[in-house]
């Protein structure tokens, strides 16, 4: 402590220097304070308040952390799955649809038998569609048998052997990576030529060039003319484990009545509906159906598949999101609880702040920001946990879960909103405190 | 006239009972007065201080601060007036424990929306004025009682207020330190500030130029020039009830 003499004289001088004398208010120091910098200050002071109670803050934000981890993890999972499903559907080919005996979706055994009794499609159906439907640009019949493919001592497991016409490559948008697709003359002459799926070629030939080599499809000898470009994986299952041979060859080797469906491609996106109608009409006429009779075939579009997928999965997602929401609500109530405690503990602080000029909304903002920051920190931790979780899921399971940029926005958005929502009641309680009572609070 | 109270009453309801804390107080205070409000506990001096300090509004009567009627302002308008016109010094210092002395002094500037750049300059100015520049970065817990009260005084000064209201400012200090704090107020008064001191200690009140005594919510005496013979004798009662 300084001596009394020193302090007094020094202070008197200094007091004259600062020009005390009252009545000035604060005009000389007032100026526009940017809301952004003011906001930043409240965040900094909120962080300080949170740091003062580390353990309590950590425990409080745990609920939000779990909630955000759930939400972000779930959304990552959902979008990952949705994306690969969308990929799968689009592998059907852009603007393409299929005509089948059986509808997509669930049906019982009686219905199954009924569908099986429907007439098969013939290559004449395909030809008729190609000729009579102006909105259709390509149509290919498809027959599938399952065989092992062998070359020398190497053999695949049983995989799909797809019988199609050369138009299939236009219908499905499938690319030939190496060599070529088989041509119409080969198809017409029922040649034993084969285009291999990418992993099949790799498995049988390794580094060697398969083009021109012979393979056994079942026990029939086929010449390899091409290898398809890989389409990738879906749920850990390769989409490329198949081989393609001419449709006519399938008929010759395995019987003519194997036709299971027709793949049809519309001329453009706008003409998909027209193509659907024309195909339906053409087939109904060919089968001599009366207007009142139901069609005895099904047309399955990509949007139908997508819709079906969405219907199947919607409930699951709703339940998962619901669980996450409950976690967030519980977390939010935790925030509210701790903010109530904090407001009570800091009653005197609130009184002091009000005495020196804080308005209700200053106090409201302070506690809202504190709740939001507390909750937001939980959100950040939850996000980190979700990143870890999705990485673990993606590496341990075939589900292609991933966190995207907007997940980060979602995590922060959700957690901060929860903080603001549940912090509002305690904050408004703080804002309404009477300064005199608060200053007296022990 | 800086402060003008006319027939100010304050009635509190405690349960079903009504308590007349102020029974009709009229009082004028001019700029650069150094005034002490005295009275036993329950005399209404705290209530009067709260009204003058714009923490509370009168139940009836008129309170004009720099000509502005305060009685019908809402809470936020009162806060604005406190921010611009009033500097409080409390018995228990009322510093925020987690903030440094500097930040405590800076606090009113945040609420008066002073620009960030001018704030530091202002804070250093008043820290110098109370002789605490070298303790500015310490927290209240690291300061002595006298130093804490100086920080509180610096905080009261920061917005250059019209009135400095000190409620038992030496109540929690030993007599030596208390005397030092009274010297600080002395300096502030000499520099042109208006100071209102609330105390029940006669020797503290004697620092002021004018002493108002309250009894049962009414002014019982109003003496001027009580300090030394140079200021002249008592000028009598200014009661206008």
């Amino acid at each position: 402590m300084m001596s009394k003499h020193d302090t007094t004289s020094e202070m008197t001088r200094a007091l004259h220097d600062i020009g005390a004398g009252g009545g000035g208010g604060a005009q000389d120091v007032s100026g526009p304070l940017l809301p952004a910098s003011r906001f930043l200050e409240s965040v900094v002071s909120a962080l300080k308040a949170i740091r003062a109670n580390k353990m309590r803050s950590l425990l409080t934000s745990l609920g939000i952390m779990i909630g955000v981890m759930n939400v972000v993890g779930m959304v990552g999972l959902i979008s990952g799955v949705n994306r690969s499903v969308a990929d799968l559907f689009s592998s059907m080919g852009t603007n393409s649809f299929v005509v089948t005996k059986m509808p997509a979706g669930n049906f019982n055994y009686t219905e199954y038998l009924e569908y099986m009794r429907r007439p098969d499609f013939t290559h004449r159906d395909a030809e008729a569609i190609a000729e009579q439907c102006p909105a259709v640009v390509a149509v290919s019949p498809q027959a599938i048998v399952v065989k092992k493919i062998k070359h020398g001592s190497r053999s695949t497991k049983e995989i799909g052997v797809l019988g199609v016409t050369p138009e299939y490559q236009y219908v499905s948008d499938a690319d030939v990576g190496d060599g070529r697709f088989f041509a119409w003359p080969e198809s017409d002459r029922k040649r034993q030529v084969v285009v291999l799926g990418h992993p099949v070629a790799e498995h049988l030939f390794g580094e060697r060039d398969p083009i021109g080599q012979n393979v056994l499809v079942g026990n029939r000898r086929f010449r390899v003319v091409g290898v398809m470009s890989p389409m990738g994986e879906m749920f850990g299952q390769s989409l490329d484990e198949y081989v393609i041979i001419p449709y006519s060859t399938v008929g010759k080797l395995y019987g003519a009545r194997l036709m299971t469906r027709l793949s049809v491609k519309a001329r453009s996106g706008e003409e998909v509906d027209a193509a659907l109608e024309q195909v339906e009409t053409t087939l109904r006429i060919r089968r001599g159906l009366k207007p009142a009779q139901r069609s005895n075939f099904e047309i399955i579009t990509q949007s139908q598949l997508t819709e079906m997928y969405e219907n199947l999965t919607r409930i699951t997602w709703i339940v998962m999101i619901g669980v996450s929401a409950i976690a967030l609500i519980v977390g939010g109530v935790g925030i509210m609880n701790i903010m109530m405690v904090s407001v009570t503990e800091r009653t005197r602080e609130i009184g002091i702040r009000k005495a020196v000029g804080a308005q209700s909304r200053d106090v409201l903002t302070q506690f809202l920001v504190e709740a939001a920051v507390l909750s937001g920190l939980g959100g950040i931790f939850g996000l980190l946990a979700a990143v870890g979780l999705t990485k673990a899921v993606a590496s341990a399971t075939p589900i292609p879960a991933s966190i995207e940029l907007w997940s980060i926005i979602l995590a922060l958005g959700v957690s901060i909103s929860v903080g603001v929502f549940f912090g509002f009641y305690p904050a408004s309680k703080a804002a309404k405190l009477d300064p005199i009572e608060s200053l007296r609070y022990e | 006239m800086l402060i003008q109270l006319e027939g100010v009453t304050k009635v509190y309801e405690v349960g079903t009972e009504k308590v007349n804390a102020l029974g009709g107080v009229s009082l004028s205070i001019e700029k650069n007065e150094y005034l002490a409000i005295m009275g036993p506990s329950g005399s209404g001096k705290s209530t009067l201080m709260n009204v003058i300090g714009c923490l509370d509004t009168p139940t009836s009567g008129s309170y004009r601060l720099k000509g502005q009627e305060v009685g019908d302002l809402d809470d936020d308008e009162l806060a604005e007036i406190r921010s611009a016109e009033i500097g409080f010094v409390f018995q228990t210092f009322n510093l925020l424990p987690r903030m440094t002395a500097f930040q405590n002094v800076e606090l009113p500037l945040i609420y008066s929306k002073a620009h960030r750049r001018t704030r530091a300059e202002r804070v250093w100015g008043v820290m110098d004025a109370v002789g605490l520049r070298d303790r500015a970065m310490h927290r209240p817990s690291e300061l002595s009682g006298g130093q804490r009260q100086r920080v509180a005084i610096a905080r009261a000064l920061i917005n250059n207020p019209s009135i400095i209201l000190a409620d038992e400012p030496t109540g929690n200090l030993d007599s030596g330190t208390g005397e030092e704090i009274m010297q600080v107020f002395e300096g502030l008064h000499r520099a042109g500030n208006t100071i209102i001191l609330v105390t029940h200690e006669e020797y503290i009140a004697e620092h002021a130029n004018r002493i108002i005594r309250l009894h049962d919510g009414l002014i019982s005496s109003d003496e001027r020039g009580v300090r030394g013979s140079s200021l002249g004798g008592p000028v009598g009662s200014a009661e206008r009830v």
Side-chain angles (χ1 to χ4, degrees):
Chain A
M1 201 80 205
M2 290 174 275
S3 85
K4 199 190 289 180
H5 173 78
D6 285 348
T7 42
T8 314
S9 57
E10 257 175 43
M11 274 183 295
T12 312
R13 252 202 324 276
L15 289 169
H16 277 290
D17 289 346
I18 64 163
Q27 297 97 317
D28 57 332
V29 291
S30 70
L33 187 66
L34 290 172
S37 81
R38 191 126 198 254
F39 177 73
L40 203 68
E41 271 178 61
S42 9
V43 171
V44 170
S45 87
L47 283 171
K48 267 186 207 156
I50 288 164
R51 208 176 53 189
N53 286 303
K54 284 193 203 74
M55 196 58 187
R56 190 168 89 181
S57 304
L58 184 73
L59 292 175
T60 303
S61 58
L62 203 62
I64 298 292
M65 186 184 135
I66 291 170
V68 166
M69 185 184 80
N70 263 332
V71 170
V72 174
M74 240 17 113
V75 167
L77 217 68
I78 293 170
S79 62
V81 171
N82 283 353
R83 208 177 25 246
S84 43
V85 168
D87 283 352
L88 179 72
F89 292 162
S90 71
S91 74
M92 211 167 127
T94 321
N95 308 328
S96 294
F97 53 90
V98 291
V99 187
T100 65
K101 282 161 80 169
M102 290 181 211
N106 299 325
F107 39 80
N108 60 36
Y109 187 66
T110 328
E111 287 169 315
Y112 171 76
L113 292 178
E114 192 183 311
Y115 295 138
M116 285 304 283
R117 279 197 300 272
R118 287 173 163 185
D120 281 311
F121 301 103
T122 65
H123 68 279
R124 299 220 182 279
D125 290 328
E127 280 158 20
I129 287 167
E131 279 164 22
Q132 293 164 29
C133 303
V136 171
V137 69
V139 55
S140 170
Q142 276 183 37
I144 295 179
V145 290
V146 174
K147 298 287 170 195
K148 282 183 178 167
I149 317 296
K150 292 180 205 134
H151 175 75
S153 59
R154 299 191 70 92
S155 169
T156 66
K157 54 192 186 224
E158 300 227 300
I159 60 169
V161 176
L162 191 62
V164 297
T165 62
E167 273 196 59
Y168 174 78
Q169 51 185 324
Y170 306 113
V171 176
S172 69
D173 298 330
D175 279 333
V176 178
D178 257 337
R180 57 177 178 85
F181 211 80
F182 48 81
W184 275 111
E186 289 164 317
S187 177
D188 289 345
R189 287 171 204 157
K190 303 174 185 169
R191 287 284 157 81
Q192 282 167 238
V193 285
V194 63
V195 181
L196 302 179
H198 193 265
V200 178
E202 231 165 44
H203 180 72
L204 294 180
F205 294 95
E207 294 293 298
R208 287 175 296 138
D209 183 10
I211 312 293
Q213 303 284 325
N214 288 328
V215 293
L216 292 176
V217 177
N219 49 11
R220 307 284 185 155
R221 188 180 301 274
F222 278 70
R223 187 165 53 85
V224 178
V225 294
V227 177
M228 302 299 285
S229 297
M231 283 196 288
E233 292 193 347
M234 157 87 185
F235 299 133
Q237 195 90 49
S238 169
L239 298 174
D240 304 300
E241 300 228 341
Y242 66 105
V243 299
I244 303 174
I245 62 175
Y247 172 69
S248 51
T249 314
V250 178
K252 180 183 87 178
L253 298 179
Y254 310 107
R257 285 175 58 84
L258 278 160
M259 162 78 77
T260 49
R261 59 186 197 170
L262 296 172
S263 281
V264 184
K265 185 185 182 71
R267 203 164 286 280
S268 68
E270 292 84 56
E271 284 174 278
V272 171
D273 288 342
L276 287 171
E277 221 178 284
Q278 292 164 6
V279 167
E280 186 172 12
T281 312
T282 305
L283 285 175
R284 284 181 66 91
I285 290 169
R286 282 183 57 76
R287 291 183 174 185
L289 296 174
K290 297 197 177 69
Q293 275 179 293
R294 268 191 65 202
S295 293
N296 53 4
F297 55 89
E298 303 288 334
I299 295 178
I300 299 169
T301 63
Q302 285 176 43
S303 59
Q304 273 176 337
L305 286 178
T306 311
E307 198 180 314
M308 203 178 67
Y309 163 77
E310 280 170 359
N311 285 337
L312 281 171
T313 51
R314 185 173 296 129
I315 302 295
T316 318
W317 299 147
I318 286 173
V319 169
M320 285 172 160
I321 295 289
V323 169
S324 306
I326 289 168
L328 280 174
I329 289 168
V330 171
V333 170
I335 298 263
M336 179 147 92
N337 180 41
I338 219 70
M339 289 310 293
M340 296 294 279
V341 172
S342 181
V343 168
T344 307
E345 276 177 357
R346 288 152 71 190
T347 300
R348 203 181 175 85
E349 174 188 327
I350 295 161
I352 295 168
R353 286 178 184 271
K354 287 199 158 184
V356 303
Q359 298 186 2
S360 301
R361 82 183 128 87
D362 295 320
V363 176
L364 183 81
T365 310
Q366 183 192 340
F367 281 91
L368 270 188
V369 167
E370 204 171 306
V373 168
L374 188 59
S375 186
L377 284 177
I380 290 171
F381 289 133
L383 180 69
L384 294 178
V387 169
L389 195 75
T390 40
K391 283 232 166 91
V393 166
S395 68
T397 72
I399 299 168
S402 69
I403 302 279
E404 284 158 74
L405 178 71
W406 65 270
S407 297
I408 298 167
I409 296 160
L410 180 82
L412 291 178
V414 163
S415 57
I416 289 170
S417 312
V418 166
V420 169
F421 183 80
F422 286 96
F424 193 82
Y425 178 67
S428 65
K429 214 181 145 212
K432 281 184 206 137
L433 284 177
D434 175 51
I436 301 168
E437 298 280 328
S438 312
L439 282 168
R440 254 186 238 139
Y441 187 85
E442 291 296 331
Chain B
M1 198 63 64
L2 181 63
I3 290 172
Q4 196 145 28
L5 281 83
E6 274 174 61
V8 166
T9 69
K10 185 71 198 181
V11 182
Y12 291 113
E13 280 181 44
V14 182
T16 54
E17 221 176 312
K18 286 189 175 177
V19 178
N20 287 297
L22 292 178
V25 170
S26 296
L27 175 66
S28 298
I29 301 169
E30 288 187 68
K31 193 166 181 288
N32 199 22
E33 274 200 77
Y34 189 175
L35 176 93
I37 298 173
M38 291 201 70
S41 59
S43 61
K45 62 182 194 302
S46 291
T47 306
L48 182 58
M49 190 202 76
N50 288 338
V51 169
I52 292 174
C54 297
L55 285 167
D56 210 347
T57 49
T59 306
S60 72
S62 148
Y63 169 28
R64 284 172 188 279
L65 175 61
K66 290 168 89 179
Q68 190 188 3
E69 182 58 52
V70 171
D72 36 57
L73 297 182
D74 67 25
D75 288 350
D76 283 343
E77 289 166 327
L78 287 174
E80 247 173 81
I81 295 208
R82 289 197 295 273
S83 173
E85 310 290 353
I86 318 280
F88 286 99
V89 179
F90 301 96
Q91 177 176 359
T92 52
F93 321 130
N94 278 341
L95 300 174
L96 298 184
R98 283 197 304 267
M99 292 185 169
T100 61
F102 186 98
Q103 290 167 329
N104 267 287
V105 172
E106 191 185 24
L107 192 63
L109 288 179
I110 293 172
Y111 295 126
S112 66
K113 296 167 181 63
H115 199 282
R116 185 188 258 284
R117 276 194 295 276
T118 62
R119 275 197 234 156
E121 202 182 311
R122 290 283 304 169
V123 175
W124 287 120
V126 290
M127 289 308 264
D128 279 338
V130 297
L132 277 182
R133 179 176 264 270
D134 55 337
R135 307 295 286 167
M137 293 309 160
H138 291 262
R139 291 184 182 208
S141 57
E142 298 159 344
L143 300 174
S144 71
Q147 287 173 330
R148 287 183 210 181
Q149 196 59 300
R150 281 160 194 261
V151 172
I153 292 171
R155 181 179 63 189
L157 287 175
I158 192 78
N159 267 332
N160 208 7
S162 303
I163 310 160
I164 294 164
L165 260 180
D167 184 10
E168 303 277 9
T170 60
N172 276 22
L173 302 172
D174 63 65
S175 58
T177 314
E179 193 54 40
E180 275 178 33
I181 292 301
M182 292 319 292
Q183 294 298 328
V184 176
F185 283 116
E186 200 99 336
L188 291 172
H189 178 233
R190 269 204 298 280
N193 286 288
T194 308
I195 297 171
I196 299 173
L197 203 61
V198 177
T199 183
H200 64 272
E201 302 274 17
E202 204 71 41
Y203 73 93
I204 294 295
E206 275 165 12
H207 286 87
N209 305 117
R210 180 181 173 192
I211 298 178
I212 286 171
R213 289 173 205 277
L214 282 177
H215 195 76
D216 286 343
L218 290 168
I219 293 176
S220 59
S221 80
D222 185 350
E223 310 156 52
R224 284 177 194 269
V226 289
R227 250 182 116 242
S229 54
S230 63
L231 290 163
V235 288
S237 172
E239 250 178 301
R240 267 178 285 159
V241 182

